[in-house]
């Protein structure tokens, strides 16, 4: 595989905007037919966007967090499912940046620049909680490992070249094993049947004594032993997706009302777009989207500032700013995608139009992790100066 190498932030944004426009055109049909976006992901890989966080010394653009968030907002406004697929990709690129040896960085950054994709095999079902990871890395006499476990919600794994797997080693610490998609013992099952994000293929990954060389395992637990931005960056991308979904839903609602809706007979106007009550409602919805966009930009700037001078305080500021953006974006995505029907009228509920994909994507994606706990951490930080925890989900 070969891929274009993006030079800088400006080019990354231009490429993302062009791809988002193309991807928007087929989003409704892909969702309705559950047609997996293999061709679209191949274009994403070939465009070079998946390598934009590779450090400059390894040949990458090393873009700012603000640019990366904007890329995901653009993609999310076009197709909430497609935007979610590379989210874990960038999270596990960050693990290599922070915990990889020079040899590991050199190898994997070259893979990324060639257009290779990371999936993920992180979450497990039936455990006590989300951080109760039971997949195991068993050491072998030659220094390698055997990897065994079952993962669920493995977004991106079906389309991946490499699947980063979260597992515990014999010391019970968390590590990430980077496993080829076609490695012996790896089975990826396309069994995702969620009501939303239908084309993410976030199904099951089975790992049956998968051989893993020692130099494909990174000590992820070390990520959280000092000030870090791993969780902030990962959550920033989730917030960007939700913001994009909200924006896409609002734009589609406006287009529908302008071209297809009828005015309510009591309004006394000739077109729905002139209805003063609809105008009022669109103003309210636009405020929600603008607030989400503003908090997303502020959060990204705070992450970039923390990256330039990483301390316990700057990392805490970044996590809190991202938490605020994620709460607002999640609320906006669900509320605006639901209000689409309120403002558009009965016809908008037709299955053939598939306008409900915005709400289904928003409702599904915002279940990723509860915003109520983010509000708790924001409150503790604001009232008592309590720094947020370092667990990767904030």
């Amino acid at each position: 595989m070969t891929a274009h190498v993006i030079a800088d932030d400006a080019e990354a944004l231009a490429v993302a905007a062009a791809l988002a426009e193309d991807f928007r055109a087929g989003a409704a049909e892909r969702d309705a037919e559950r047609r997996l976006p293999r061709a679209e992901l191949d274009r994403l890989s070939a465009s070079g966007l998946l390598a934009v966080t590779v450090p400059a010394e390894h040949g990458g653009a090393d873009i700012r967090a603000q640019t990366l968030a904007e890329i995901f907002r653009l993609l999310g406004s076009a197709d909430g499912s497609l935007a979610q697929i590379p989210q874990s990709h960038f999270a596990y690129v960050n693990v290599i940046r922070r915990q990889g040896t020079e040899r590991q960085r050199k190898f994997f950054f070259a893979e990324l620049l060639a257009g290779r994709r990371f999936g993920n095999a992180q979450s497990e079902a039936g455990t006590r909680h989300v951080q109760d990871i039971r997949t195991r890395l068993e050491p072998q006499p030659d220094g390698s490992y055997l990897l065994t476990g079952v993962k669920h919600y493995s977004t991106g794994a079906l389309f991946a070249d490499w699947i980063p797997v979260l597992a515990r080693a014999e010391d019970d610490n968390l590590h990430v094993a980077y496993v080829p998609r076609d490695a012996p013992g790896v089975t990826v099952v396309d069994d995702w049947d969620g009501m939303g994000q239908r084309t993410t293929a976030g199904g099951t990954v089975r790992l049956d004594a998968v051989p893993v060389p020692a130099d494909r395992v990174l000590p992820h637990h070390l990520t959280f032993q000092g000030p870090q931005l791993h969780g902030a960056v990962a959550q920033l991308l989730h917030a960007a997706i939700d913001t994009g979904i909200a924006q896409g839903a609002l734009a589609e609602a406006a287009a529908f009302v302008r071209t297809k809706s009828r005015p309510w007979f009591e309004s006394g106007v000739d077109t729905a777009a002139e209805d003063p009550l609809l105008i009022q409602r669109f103003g309210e919805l636009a405020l929600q989207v603008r607030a989400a966009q503003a908090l997303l930009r502020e959060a990204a700037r705070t992450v970039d500032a923390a990256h330039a001078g990483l301390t316990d305080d700057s990392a805490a500021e970044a996590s809190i700013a991202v938490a605020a953006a994620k709460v607002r974006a999640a609320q906006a995505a669900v509320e605006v995608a639901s209000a689409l029907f309120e403002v558009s009228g009965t016809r908008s509920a037709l299955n053939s139009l598939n306008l409900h994909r915005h709400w289904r994507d928003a409702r599904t994606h915002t279940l990723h992790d509860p915003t109520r706990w983010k509000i708790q951490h924001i409150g503790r930080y604001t009232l008592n100066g309590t720094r947020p925890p370092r667990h990767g989900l904030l």
Side-chain angles (χ1 to χ4, degrees):
M1 179 184 294
T2 58
H4 173 68
V5 177
I6 288 175
D8 53 28
D9 293 70
E11 185 183 5
L13 289 174
V15 170
L19 285 177
E21 282 305 305
D22 289 348
F23 295 162
R24 180 175 288 108
E29 291 76 16
R30 284 193 298 273
D31 176 271
E33 300 169 9
R34 199 179 178 272
R35 188 171 73 245
L36 300 181
R38 296 182 186 276
E40 289 76 15
L41 286 170
D42 286 344
R43 289 188 62 193
L44 195 64
S45 292
S47 75
L49 278 180
L50 297 183
V52 290
T53 58
V54 170
E57 61 267 27
H58 287 272
D62 201 8
I63 64 170
R64 297 172 299 159
Q66 191 169 351
T67 302
L68 188 61
E70 180 66 6
I71 289 169
F72 273 80
R73 186 193 65 79
L74 288 166
L75 294 175
S77 73
D79 185 336
S81 285
L82 184 55
Q84 173 60 23
I85 293 171
Q87 188 273 339
S88 291
H89 170 95
F90 284 99
Y92 285 105
V93 173
N94 279 346
V95 174
I96 295 170
R97 289 188 59 147
R98 186 172 174 92
Q99 300 302 338
T101 65
E102 184 57 30
R103 181 180 176 183
Q104 288 169 328
R105 292 190 188 107
K106 183 178 180 180
F107 174 80
F108 279 115
F109 292 155
E111 288 284 283
L112 294 168
L113 290 169
R116 306 285 192 270
R117 293 193 289 265
F118 290 167
N120 97 92
Q122 179 170 292
S123 295
E124 300 179 12
T127 58
R128 291 180 300 120
H129 51 70
V130 70
Q131 292 198 327
D132 181 16
I133 303 297
R134 300 181 183 179
T135 298
R136 307 299 300 192
L137 278 164
E138 299 293 339
Q140 302 302 296
D142 64 356
S144 67
Y145 297 90
L146 290 180
L147 179 64
T148 301
V150 179
K151 298 290 189 174
H152 298 269
Y153 312 118
S154 302
T155 301
L158 190 67
F159 314 108
D161 299 290
W162 291 89
I163 303 177
V165 180
L166 200 60
R168 294 194 183 276
E170 60 180 345
D171 58 5
D172 213 37
N173 285 322
L174 281 177
H175 291 67
V176 178
Y178 289 75
V179 179
R181 163 71 174 79
D182 58 357
V186 175
T187 304
V188 181
V189 184
D190 180 19
D191 57 356
W192 169 245
D193 66 349
M195 68 174 183
Q197 293 196 296
R198 298 183 67 222
T199 61
T200 58
T204 301
V205 173
R206 301 185 187 281
L207 307 149
D208 183 15
V210 178
V212 184
D215 63 356
R216 297 294 179 263
V217 177
L218 279 71
H220 191 33
H221 62 100
L222 297 180
T223 299
F224 308 104
Q225 291 187 2
Q228 50 82 35
L229 297 172
H230 179 82
V233 172
Q235 289 291 305
L236 181 71
L237 302 187
H238 283 304
I241 294 167
D242 288 341
T243 301
I245 291 172
Q247 181 186 1
L250 183 61
E252 192 140 19
F256 192 95
V257 169
R258 285 194 300 266
T259 60
K260 296 182 176 66
S261 295
R262 297 181 298 179
W264 184 245
F265 71 95
E266 292 179 285
S267 67
V269 297
D270 294 329
T271 68
E274 298 173 290
D275 185 329
L277 297 183
L278 281 180
I279 289 171
Q280 176 73 19
R281 188 66 175 124
F282 270 95
E284 294 168 351
L285 297 174
L287 285 175
Q288 292 194 47
V289 174
R290 284 173 176 264
Q293 291 172 330
L295 283 172
L296 180 68
R297 287 191 296 268
E298 176 63 21
R301 285 194 294 265
T302 307
V303 170
D304 281 326
H307 181 73
L310 189 59
T311 65
D312 285 333
D313 287 338
S314 66
E317 285 285 344
S319 287
I320 293 299
V322 171
K326 181 64 168 64
V327 171
R328 179 68 270 179
Q331 293 170 343
V334 173
E335 293 174 19
V336 174
S338 176
L340 182 156
F341 303 99
E342 169 197 336
V343 297
S344 300
T346 305
R347 185 182 175 190
S348 64
L350 293 176
N351 262 326
S352 58
L353 297 175
N354 199 18
L355 293 176
H356 46 69
R357 74 186 186 280
H358 298 292
W359 183 86
R360 289 187 289 102
D361 283 348
R363 183 65 281 176
T364 302
H365 182 250
T366 55
L367 298 175
H368 183 273
D369 51 282
T371 57
R372 58 186 177 272
W373 276 99
K374 298 184 189 302
I375 295 171
Q376 280 282 311
H377 293 307
I378 293 169
R380 292 169 183 169
Y381 184 76
T382 302
L383 182 60
N384 298 316
T386 305
R387 294 185 184 123
R390 297 169 177 164
H391 53 40
L393 289 170
L394 196 70

